[in-house]
Amino acid sequence: MEHKVQEILEQQVLTVAKAVEEKIDDEIAALEKLDLDDIEVLRERRLQQMKKMAEKRSRWISLGHGEYTEIFSEKDFFAIVKASDRVVCHFYRENWPCKVVDKHLSILAKQHIETRFIKIQAEKSPFLAEKLKIVVLPTIALIKNAKVDDYVVGFDELGGTDDFSTEELEERLSKAQVIFFEGDQG
C-alpha cells in the first residue's frame, strides 16, 4: 500500500514537472520568435512606463513627498489629504515616544516617495484630534484617498517598546497599503 502511494505521488510530481517544463518551453519559443518590431514595441512600452513613473515622482515631489514635514494648521491637514492619495500623519506631543516615531518616519519619508509623511501637534489641533478620535500619543493615522483607513496607536503593534526598528514600522505601513515596496509603486 505504502509503495503504491509513493508511486502515485511520484507520478503526480512528474506530471506537474512536465506541465511546468512545457510552459517554460512555450515561453522560450515565444521569446525566440520576437523580431525587431516586437522588441521595439516592448521597448516603447517600457519607455512609456518609465516616463509615467517619472511624471508621478515629479508630481509627488511638488506635493512635498520625500520629506517628513510638520504642519501647523488643521486647514493644511485637509489640503494635504486631498492632494495626496496616501498620507501618513503622526499626531504627537513633545515627548520621548513621539521623538522615536519621528526618527523612523523621517527615514521612511525619504524611502517612500509615493506617500506623503506629515506630523501635527495633537494638542494644538483639538478639532482634528477629536474628529479622528486621537486619544493615545503617539498615534499614526494612515490615510488613503482622503479617508483615515487605519491607525498605529502607541507601540503595541510594534513590539510594545520604543526600540522597534524602522523595518517593523515599514512592514506595518505596508500591510495597511499606505506605502509600497519598490516595484509596486502605483
Side-chain angles (χ1 to χ4, degrees):
M1 176 71 179
E2 206 173 294
H3 180 52
K4 188 76 167 165
V5 170
Q6 179 72 25
E7 220 175 89
I8 292 171
L9 218 65
E10 287 173 1
Q11 191 59 44
Q12 290 297 320
V13 169
L14 191 60
T15 304
V16 169
K18 281 183 182 175
V20 169
E21 186 177 7
E22 285 174 18
K23 187 169 175 30
I24 290 171
D25 287 345
D26 290 346
E27 287 179 24
I28 289 171
L31 287 172
E32 286 174 348
K33 287 180 187 171
L34 287 178
D35 62 15
L36 287 176
D37 289 341
D38 295 327
I39 293 171
E40 189 58 37
V41 167
L42 289 173
R43 184 178 168 280
E44 188 60 36
R45 190 178 308 148
R46 182 64 184 135
L47 279 172
Q48 290 302 319
Q49 288 172 338
M50 290 168 61
K51 187 176 177 183
K52 190 175 174 185
M53 192 63 200
E55 288 168 1
K56 273 186 182 182
R57 286 181 166 283
S58 292
R59 181 176 169 274
W60 289 333
I61 288 169
S62 74
L63 291 171
H65 291 227
E67 298 173 24
Y68 179 50
T69 50
E70 181 166 6
I71 58 171
F72 298 96
S73 76
E74 294 168 338
K75 187 176 147 202
D76 290 343
F77 173 85
F78 290 111
I80 287 166
V81 163
K82 281 183 187 165
S84 295
D85 292 339
R86 289 173 298 281
V87 179
V88 171
C89 181
H90 175 206
F91 286 86
Y92 81 99
R93 80 164 49 110
E94 291 296 333
N95 65 12
W96 173 250
C98 291
K99 287 184 185 345
V100 170
V101 171
D102 284 343
K103 176 187 82 166
H104 294 298
L105 291 180
S106 63
I107 292 167
L108 291 174
K110 291 176 183 72
Q111 294 174 350
H112 292 280
I113 197 169
E114 75 277 7
T115 301
R116 179 79 192 266
F117 287 79
I118 58 175
K119 70 178 187 173
I120 189 166
Q121 198 163 4
E123 292 156 346
K124 291 185 179 176
S125 309
F127 169 77
L128 201 53
E130 185 178 321
K131 182 173 166 62
L132 299 179
K133 297 174 178 62
I134 306 295
V135 179
V136 175
L137 297 178
T139 290
I140 304 170
L142 309 179
I143 303 154
K144 294 192 299 194
N145 302 316
K147 291 184 179 69
V148 176
D149 190 61
D150 199 358
Y151 294 96
V152 178
V153 179
F155 297 151
D156 289 347
E157 295 179 64
L158 303 167
T161 66
D162 64 6
D163 65 351
F164 61 91
S165 69
T166 302
E167 290 74 22
E168 287 172 292
L169 180 55
E170 182 177 37
E171 187 177 319
R172 174 61 180 87
L173 299 180
S174 177
K175 278 184 186 167
Q177 297 181 335
V178 79
I179 62 171
F180 300 109
F181 287 109
E182 227 25 75
D184 308 327
Q185 295 182 355

